[in-house]
Amino acid sequence: MKHCWFIISAFLFISCATSGGFYSTVDGNISDGKYEEALKTVRENRSWYGDKSSVLFNFDMGLLYHYAGEHDSSLAYFFAAEKEIDDLYTKSISQEVLSFMINDNILPYEGEDFEKVLVNIFLALNYAEEGMIEDALVEARKVDLKLREYAHQYDDKNKYQEDAFIRYIAGVLYETGGEINDAFISYKKSFEAYKTYENEYGTKAPSFLLDDLVRTGMLMEFTDEVEQYRGMGGRWEAHEGLTEGNILVIVYTGKGPAKQEIKKTVTIPDTSGVLHTFQIALPEFQPRYQKPRSYDVHIVAADDSITAATTCAENITAIAQRVLEDRLGLIYLKSGGRAVLKFLAAEKIKGEMKKDDKNKVKNFLGSLAVDLVVGATEQADTRSWRTLPSEIQLVKLSLKPGDYLLNVKASDAGYSLREVSMKVQRGKTSFVIVDDVR
């Protein structure tokens, strides 16, 4: 049958959309903190990613090395991911056209907008943990540039236009580097961004952000703004921090969301007004972090001890869901248009079958095969960055210069960080990153 090319080629594309079952092993390794084993599993399954999902391979390797504290390797993979994303910016027209006939799985995966932003956030945190302030700030500024570009693409109608978390981290970095005015501006932008975060993702500004605004505002003699933030709850005692140093504890908690396919029914009229009903496949982010938890950070010195609880500063699951919702209209349009094209192509093939062969049984089986192919090729692109945490939690502690022991315990008693020795320096912030991605 001369139309077999349609069936054969379609099934070839379908075979490219299978999911990576090895992720269950990787998830287990991450939960247990066995990052070397997780890295080994990802490497051994490099062929699964193929050429179409090599960005995801670099995402996974970069983040697993980040969890493991191997910053140089993490940087290398994240920079490789960023370069490939830049290269994919100019897309192949032929592939785009083909994706209208088959599905988006045939396109190279370039990441969701929030995933591209997280690359630079993790790069910044790699540098921050190493004390490389200027390099960390370069990555923080890239986040701002990317989000501006994405907002432009959505005509400013998307919600994820600011990242409050990285704005806060930038403020900490500026202050550590002695750039107090820039620190105050970053803290202020972070505080404003958290208003959107609270409305869209249920994430409030950390209480200590107001203290940071009061402290840096005092240093810059911004009297009116200092009084404003004091009125909101910023502590006047924050000025004591001028002779102290800080420890900023960053906790990755829970498993990030994973995409799954959902089917929607749409009805579209043809040119003669006859209604045709189709099923389209859409991606949807499903949460995998079911039991929220916080962490007690306990710090001990020779003559003092402090305990403070973390607070959520970046709800990655909520951001992921919102970002996908923002582009759902475009996905609907493309999926609906693809459904129409497939329907028209299938009807044309069926009509030609009837002309070529009068055998009713053969025609029936051929038509059935065409319908099966059309249905099977309608698949949502469910690729996503599966090794992400669900949340990033924070706590900031101001301490007198000196040596301390730090311990972190989860509220559900399922995680405890071994004691870590810390040195606090006047006017500086030390970053501590803790992984509890289970």
Side-chain angles (χ1 to χ4, degrees):
M1 187 185 297
K2 69 180 182 180
H3 308 292
C4 282
W5 66 270
F6 177 82
I7 299 170
I8 294 170
S9 61
F11 273 113
L12 286 174
F13 287 119
I14 294 168
S15 66
C16 297
T18 55
S19 61
F22 69 91
Y23 268 122
S24 60
T25 301
V26 174
D27 286 343
N29 289 333
I30 293 174
S31 295
D32 296 335
K34 298 177 180 178
Y35 302 123
E36 290 302 326
E37 292 183 27
L39 284 160
K40 180 182 177 183
T41 301
V42 170
R43 282 194 208 95
E44 290 175 348
N45 288 275
R46 176 66 181 87
S47 60
W48 173 83
Y49 295 89
D51 294 333
K52 303 295 184 186
S53 300
S54 57
V55 164
L56 277 179
F57 174 77
N58 287 317
F59 282 173
D60 287 339
M61 293 294 287
L63 188 53
L64 288 171
Y65 273 121
H66 178 71
Y67 290 153
E70 297 184 36
H71 298 131
D72 288 344
S73 295
S74 178
L75 292 170
Y77 279 103
F78 279 141
F79 282 131
E82 193 168 44
K83 182 181 183 305
E84 187 171 0
I85 290 168
D86 289 341
D87 292 342
L88 290 171
Y89 187 77
T90 305
K91 298 176 181 177
S92 166
I93 295 176
S94 61
Q95 284 185 322
E96 278 289 346
V97 171
L98 198 54
S99 74
F100 270 97
M101 281 301 297
I102 309 299
N103 56 57
D104 285 345
N105 287 288
I106 71 165
L107 294 173
Y109 186 74
E110 59 181 283
E112 296 283 353
D113 291 347
F114 79 94
E115 292 174 339
K116 299 173 194 174
V117 165
L118 280 168
V119 167
N120 299 104
I121 289 176
F122 289 126
L123 282 168
L125 293 175
N126 272 328
Y127 285 127
E129 201 172 20
E130 292 288 334
M132 302 171 68
I133 296 172
E134 288 304 318
D135 295 282
L137 283 169
V138 167
E139 298 305 322
R141 294 185 196 109
K142 284 183 185 177
V143 170
D144 186 39
L145 292 173
K146 282 184 178 181
L147 288 173
R148 281 192 218 168
E149 173 60 27
Y150 301 151
H152 177 71
Q153 292 173 9
Y154 286 97
D155 294 325
D156 287 325
K157 294 178 182 177
N158 64 318
K159 297 298 181 182
Y160 184 48
Q161 297 187 20
E162 275 278 10
D163 193 285
F165 170 73
I166 197 63
R167 286 288 193 192
Y168 182 75
I169 296 299
V172 173
L173 292 166
Y174 279 126
E175 189 174 3
T176 297
E179 300 178 54
I180 306 303
N181 186 57
D182 287 335
F184 178 82
I185 292 170
S186 289
Y187 288 143
K188 186 175 180 178
K189 287 183 176 179
S190 177
F191 186 74
E192 293 302 315
Y194 270 115
K195 293 177 182 177
T196 301
Y197 267 38
E198 186 172 2
N199 290 333
E200 297 296 330
Y201 320 125
T203 305
K204 296 181 179 180
S207 59
F208 47 83
L209 176 50
L210 285 168
D211 297 344
D212 295 322
L213 283 163
V214 169
R215 183 181 60 259
T216 52
M218 286 177 60
L219 285 171
M220 296 306 299
E221 299 182 355
F222 296 153
T223 306
D224 291 343
E225 288 171 297
V226 166
E227 290 303 317
Q228 175 191 350
Y229 293 122
R230 281 189 67 199
M232 293 180 183
R235 295 178 304 133
W236 182 255
E237 293 79 5
H239 74 278
E240 294 177 359
L242 303 179
T243 61
E244 297 181 343
N246 302 290
I247 294 177
L248 184 67
V249 181
I250 299 170
V251 183
Y252 303 136
T253 182
K255 293 194 182 301
K259 279 182 190 168
Q260 70 171 22
E261 180 181 271
I262 58 171
K263 294 283 189 177
K264 295 282 187 179
T265 300
V266 295
T267 301
I268 303 172
D270 61 21
T271 54
S272 62
V274 177
L275 296 177
H276 300 280
T277 299
F278 310 93
Q279 271 211 328
I280 60 175
L282 301 170
E284 181 180 74
F285 272 113
Q286 286 295 310
R288 294 192 294 161
Y289 176 46
Q290 303 299 333
K291 296 180 179 179
R293 53 189 177 268
S294 62
Y295 299 81
D296 284 330
V297 176
H298 190 56
I299 293 180
V300 181
D303 58 351
D304 197 11
S305 66
I306 298 174
T307 299
T310 60
T311 184
C312 179
E314 186 91 322
N315 189 330
I316 293 173
T317 293
I319 291 173
Q321 291 174 318
R322 186 59 179 160
V323 167
L324 191 55
E325 285 174 12
D326 279 340
R327 70 181 188 91
L328 206 55
L330 295 174
I331 298 174
Y332 260 115
L333 285 173
K334 188 172 184 179
S335 299
R338 182 165 57 227
V340 172
L341 288 174
K342 288 180 180 178
F343 171 77
L344 294 174
E347 291 302 301
K348 182 176 177 61
I349 291 171
K350 290 177 186 178
E352 291 179 358
M353 284 179 180
K354 292 176 183 178
K355 292 178 185 177
D356 292 346
D357 200 319
K358 303 302 181 182
N359 187 315
K360 291 184 179 181
V361 174
K362 193 173 181 180
N363 281 336
F364 172 77
L365 293 175
S367 296
L368 181 61
V370 171
D371 288 339
L372 287 172
V373 168
V374 169
T377 56
E378 184 52 31
Q379 295 180 340
D381 185 355
T382 58
R383 291 172 291 181
S384 64
W385 191 351
R386 287 282 300 266
T387 51
L388 286 171
S390 179
E391 291 182 357
I392 303 178
Q393 298 192 20
L394 280 182
V395 66
K396 187 177 186 182
L397 298 133
S398 295
L399 302 160
K400 296 175 183 178
D403 296 319
Y404 294 84
L405 290 175
L406 178 145
N407 180 262
V408 180
K409 292 184 178 179
S411 58
D412 65 355
Y415 176 86
S416 180
L417 175 73
R418 60 180 174 76
E419 283 191 334
V420 176
S421 297
M422 299 292 304
K423 188 173 187 65
V424 174
Q425 299 178 353
R426 180 178 178 274
K428 304 294 183 183
T429 296
S430 298
F431 286 74
V432 178
I433 295 178
V434 178
D435 316 309
D436 186 21
V437 188
R438 59 182 165 90

